[in-house]
Amino acid sequence: MDYHINHLKELESESIFIMREVASQFEKPVLMFSGGKDSILMVHLAYKAFYPAKIPFPLLHVDTGHNFDETIEYRDNLVKKMGATLIVGSVQEAIDNGEATEEKGVNASRNALQTGVLLNSLEKGKFTAALGGARRDEEKARAKERFFSHRDEFGQWDPKNQRPELWNLFNGKHKMGEHFRIFPISNWTELDVWQYLAMEKVELPSLYYAHRRKVFERDGVLLADSPFIPKKEGETVFEEMVRCRTIGDITCTGVWRSEATTTEQIIEEVATTRMTERGGRTDDKRSESSMEDRKKLGYF
Amino acid sequence: MSKEYENSELLRFTTAGSVDDGKSTLIGRLLYDSKSIHQDQYEAVEAASQRRGEEGVNLALLTDGLRSEREQGITIDVAYRYFSTPKRKFIIADTPGHIQYTRNMVTGASTANVALVLIDARNGVVEQTKRHAIIASLLQIPHVVVCVNKMDLVDYSQEAYDKIQESFEKFAAKMDVKDVHFIPISALNGDNVVHRSDKTKWYEGPTLMYYLENVHIASDHNFIDARFPVQYVVRPYNDDFHDFRGYAGRVAGGVMKKGDKVTLLPSGFSTKIAKIHGPDGEQEEAFPPQSVNVELEEDFDLSRGDMIVRENNQPDITQDVELMLCWFRSDKALQLNGKYTIQHTTQTARCVVKEIRYKLDIETLHRDTENSEIKMNDIARVVLRTTKPLFVDSYRKNRITGSVILVDEATNNTVAAGMII
């Protein structure tokens, strides 16, 4: 008898194992929820890991205030469906309180401000583990990330001093004030995520499917027309069939020309595409090591 | 409606070697020729090659990671890379050849189905090759592929290739490596990597990619000895599932079926498997590496660290564990009589180092019984005494129930990995 499971079921089993390990090893975990497909996948896997019990940790959304409307609507529906608890860390509130300062200029983004709000939210909730949907195939600094990633009392990542991870053995021991970032879907690629979501028939926010939207072009990237992004001289708004490959803050999430209106068409598109999904993220383009620098400071 | 990708398998392999062996070039070549490189990544590498004044596009730069690594031109840590073909999805654990080499190689090897060992055709089997082979053998990687690289620099000579194969086989005969294959390649020119080379007509074996796509990995897990370490107890406490008590975990060995008579460790009580819940609902049986949730016919007080096994097939229940230990810590040696936290499957205990039998020279396999100073990257045979019984198998029999890590109690760092004998 030949026992084997396909690569998606094996990834699913691995992620479920990690989530149960977190629930066992940590007193107070929290799941970082951005509204993007990877965090939707995370919630889906967490649901399976603990069924028929409820997910034993709350969801944390760091809200920049500059969202696509569809994201918030989807988030609230999902939370209701899962019976989960939602915590919102607000960047707008941090700005109003004077804890954060808004960037100026046409490329202004609240992306960097998320780090402080995230760290504050983790501290306030006394969370000892924050589960995130980052994948190693996304970006070169993330290729070196562990499943269990240790953060010091300042929330910083030290890439040169990471704990080795062997077999199925994960060491989540930490001192007071330190915490862990946990990445259960580390081994998934963008294509795996789509294939799995198709196989599981998971419903996603409409933004991921091709739709007509008002957009404009900046530095070779299409951005959604929004009152949160002031336009430069000569930038004109036009309508286009587009979809998002990642969903983040509206000010730095590029949209792509696409005709893919179903998950199967998206899989086809992802399998043959010539650009990485973060190719549309202007936050990564700031310098060659911008992700590495942000991660060291405690960015998600 | 069945789609091609729904039958695709996952294969994990590890590559070991230094920059000079052409390891990064080989990985770059696999990614590039399997069309796993995106245009923006390729353009970034093209631009970086030009900045460095190199001729052509240096595929090795595709595997560059952190800024400190780019600055020093070395790899510091294990990096994971991904590519897929319609047949399989591949995860590469790319481990550096020099700094902390043993620690990183052991880490990458612990989950690998296949080890790629690179040999420079001009230099033949060198000390580093031997080190890689010994680690592959210690970590029981089921399949080893020796890539004789830079064949272009020895005029694709069969004689040079045969000589290397012969000397590797002679060395490997002393070790416990099961399934060894040899392939003559040039990562730089792409010969026999993804495409068959017309310059090695004397070679009749598969290309590296064909090998990776077809090597039989279905029996890499242990499907004989049923082992289910309890990871987490699922208790819903809601009206619909008021009395539900599920033992969640990942099957570490064997096949468990609904209705099977099982024994619970450490209590020794017997009962039957009532139901198995998988990610898609109830299932009839479970096997590695599935994560499931098991209901038993009778309720026992079973918790994390306990194990469900078959009555007539049990692991060793012991507080005395003998193992091959790889030491990771740079600023402090392994302490005889030192106390550490030990993690084994889902169980955590404390242990004391009772005996250091010998230090293994990982270039010559010599057993040094005189020297008991075990420093970073050293491998030693040691005896531990644990505070409570562990349910262990030999690592040869089961890589999951036969492995442990040691954690330093002051720093919480993982300081050693061990394979039970």
Side-chain angles (χ1 to χ4, degrees), chain A residues 212-225:
Chain A
R212 290 204 78 81
R213 180 177 284 274
K214 285 189 174 143
V215 296
F216 67 97
E217 196 174 325
R218 177 176 295 171
D219 304 329
V221 177
L222 287 185
L223 290 168
D225 178 39

Side-chain angles (χ1 to χ4, degrees), chain A residues 1-14 16-25 48-54 56 136-137 140-141 143-146 157 159-175 178 186-192 194-196 198-200 245 264 267 270 273-279 287-289 292-293 296, chain B residues 3 5-10 12 37-41 51 64-70 72 75-82 84 89 91 103-104 106-107 110-111 139 216 218 221 223 231-232 234-236 238 241 244 248-250 255 257 279-280 285 287 289-293 304 328 341 343-346 348 395 399-400 403-405 407 410-414 417-419:
Chain A
M1 179 74 205
D2 202 15
Y3 290 102
H4 78 99
I5 51 178
N6 76 18
H7 72 291
L8 299 172
K9 297 307 281 181
E10 185 160 348
L11 292 171
E12 176 191 61
S13 254
E14 178 177 87
I16 287 174
F17 178 84
I18 301 286
M19 289 191 176
R20 288 171 174 167
E21 206 56 22
V22 171
S24 302
Q25 289 197 30
K48 289 191 170 206
F50 302 103
Y51 181 85
K54 279 187 182 165
R136 288 175 181 151
D137 82 318
K140 57 195 166 198
K144 308 235 153 162
E145 186 64 90
R146 299 290 192 266
W157 182 55
K160 283 195 208 167
N161 193 23
Q162 303 197 77
R163 294 181 185 174
E165 281 178 350
L166 303 104
W167 302 290
N168 268 350
L169 298 168
F170 295 93
N171 168 7
K173 289 182 189 59
H174 55 277
K175 295 180 183 153
E178 299 176 344
S186 286
N187 278 332
W188 299 57
T189 62
E190 184 188 12
L191 191 57
D192 297 330
W194 281 110
Q195 288 175 349
Y196 182 82
M199 192 172 84
E200 295 284 306
R245 279 177 76 191
E264 283 306 323
I267 291 172
V270 171
T273 187
R274 306 282 297 126
M275 296 289 270
T276 59
E277 60 185 328
R278 292 197 77 93
S287 88
E288 206 185 339
S289 52
E292 185 180 341
D293 296 338
K296 281 181 182 163
Chain B
K3 291 164 204 85
Y5 60 78
E6 288 181 356
N7 293 315
S8 157
E9 276 179 312
L10 182 59
R12 299 171 202 253
I37 301 298
H38 292 97
Q39 192 184 338
D40 50 339
Q41 290 172 309
R51 264 203 310 278
D64 261 9
L66 306 169
R67 178 171 47 199
S68 33
E69 295 176 321
R70 286 195 297 276
Q72 298 169 49
T75 323
I76 292 167
D77 202 44
V78 187
Y80 295 89
R81 329 230 164 248
Y82 304 84
S84 56
K89 171 196 166 85
I91 301 179
R103 164 182 158 153
N104 286 314
V106 166
T107 301
S110 71
T111 51
L139 272 288
H216 182 73
H221 291 287
F223 292 113
Q231 185 188 12
Y232 182 83
V234 176
R235 306 251 11 215
N238 62 30
F241 297 94
F244 185 95
R250 206 171 186 195
V255 180
K257 293 190 176 73
D280 299 321
E285 55 185 12
F287 50 87
Q290 289 183 327
S291 282
V292 293
N293 194 357
R304 179 173 167 89
F328 294 152
T341 296
Q343 285 186 234
H344 170 258
T345 65
T346 54
T348 302
Y395 185 78
R399 287 166 95 187
I400 301 300
S403 52
V404 304
I405 56 171
V407 176
T411 62
N412 289 330
N413 281 327
T414 304
M419 285 76 69

Side-chain angles (χ1 to χ4, degrees), chain A:
Chain A
M1 179 74 205
D2 202 15
Y3 290 102
H4 78 99
I5 51 178
N6 76 18
H7 72 291
L8 299 172
K9 297 307 281 181
E10 185 160 348
L11 292 171
E12 176 191 61
S13 254
E14 178 177 87
S15 303
I16 287 174
F17 178 84
I18 301 286
M19 289 191 176
R20 288 171 174 167
E21 206 56 22
V22 171
S24 302
Q25 289 197 30
F26 294 91
E27 250 167 69
K28 238 191 143 188
V30 65
L31 192 153
M32 298 186 280
F33 183 81
S34 72
K37 64 176 190 314
D38 296 324
S39 57
I40 292 166
L41 169 66
M42 290 274 292
V43 174
H44 185 80
L45 291 166
Y47 178 78
K48 289 191 170 206
F50 302 103
Y51 181 85
K54 279 187 182 165
I55 301 174
F57 32 76
L59 313 186
L60 168 67
H61 182 216
V62 175
D63 182 358
T64 63
H66 291 170
N67 299 295
F68 290 96
D69 295 339
E70 292 90 332
T71 307
I72 301 299
E73 193 186 320
Y74 184 95
R75 176 194 79 187
D76 293 342
N77 279 333
L78 185 72
V79 165
K80 218 157 101 197
K81 210 169 88 190
M82 298 278 168
T85 315
L86 177 74
I87 301 166
V88 178
S90 165
V91 173
Q92 186 62 54
E93 220 175 274
I95 293 170
D96 296 345
N97 295 341
E99 291 163 11
T101 318
E102 188 108 60
E103 284 185 6
K104 304 238 161 33
V106 284
N107 282 320
S109 163
R110 289 182 170 179
N111 189 285
L113 304 184
Q114 291 180 89
T115 304
V117 175
L118 173 62
L119 293 175
N120 279 341
S121 306
L122 294 178
E123 215 174 293
K124 215 158 57 189
K126 297 198 166 54
F127 294 113
T128 48
L131 294 118
R135 308 188 323 265
R136 288 175 181 151
D137 82 318
E138 278 180 87
E139 210 279 337
K140 57 195 166 198
R142 285 190 168 160
K144 308 235 153 162
E145 186 64 90
R146 299 290 192 266
F147 280 94
F148 275 40
S149 181
H150 179 258
R151 301 301 151 109
D152 67 11
E153 65 266 48
F154 300 102
Q156 297 179 111
W157 182 55
D158 179 4
K160 283 195 208 167
N161 193 23
Q162 303 197 77
R163 294 181 185 174
E165 281 178 350
L166 303 104
W167 302 290
N168 268 350
L169 298 168
F170 295 93
N171 168 7
K173 289 182 189 59
H174 55 277
K175 295 180 183 153
M176 281 278 283
E178 299 176 344
H179 75 276
F180 269 78
R181 298 289 170 90
I182 315 275
F183 304 109
I185 60 165
S186 286
N187 278 332
W188 299 57
T189 62
E190 184 188 12
L191 191 57
D192 297 330
V193 174
W194 281 110
Q195 288 175 349
Y196 182 82
L197 292 172
M199 192 172 84
E200 295 284 306
K201 300 188 174 59
V202 176
E203 178 209 345
L204 286 177
S206 52
L207 289 168
Y208 279 112
Y209 303 96
H211 57 283
R212 290 204 78 81
R213 180 177 284 274
K214 285 189 174 143
V215 296
F216 67 97
E217 196 174 325
R218 177 176 295 171
D219 304 329
V221 177
L222 287 185
L223 290 168
D225 178 39
S226 145
F228 301 125
I229 325 177
K231 269 158 284 296
K232 291 188 209 171
E233 227 184 271
E235 286 176 342
T236 52
V237 172
F238 52 97
E239 261 198 16
E240 195 72 55
M241 273 295 269
V242 293
R243 67 176 203 87
C244 293
R245 279 177 76 191
T246 66
I247 294 182
D249 181 289
I250 199 165
T251 60
C252 63
T253 303
V255 295
W256 303 70
R257 287 188 178 88
S258 170
E259 300 291 329
T261 53
T262 66
T263 308
E264 283 306 323
Q265 286 170 358
I266 290 173
I267 291 172
E268 187 67 23
E269 188 187 280
V270 171
T272 54
T273 187
R274 306 282 297 126
M275 296 289 270
T276 59
E277 60 185 328
R278 292 197 77 93
R281 291 293 286 256
T282 55
D283 45 336
D284 287 349
K285 291 198 166 172
R286 290 190 169 189
S287 88
E288 206 185 339
S289 52
S290 58
M291 174 67 92
E292 185 180 341
D293 296 338
R294 279 181 292 155
K295 274 181 70 70
K296 281 181 182 163
L297 293 174
Y299 178 73
F300 158 61

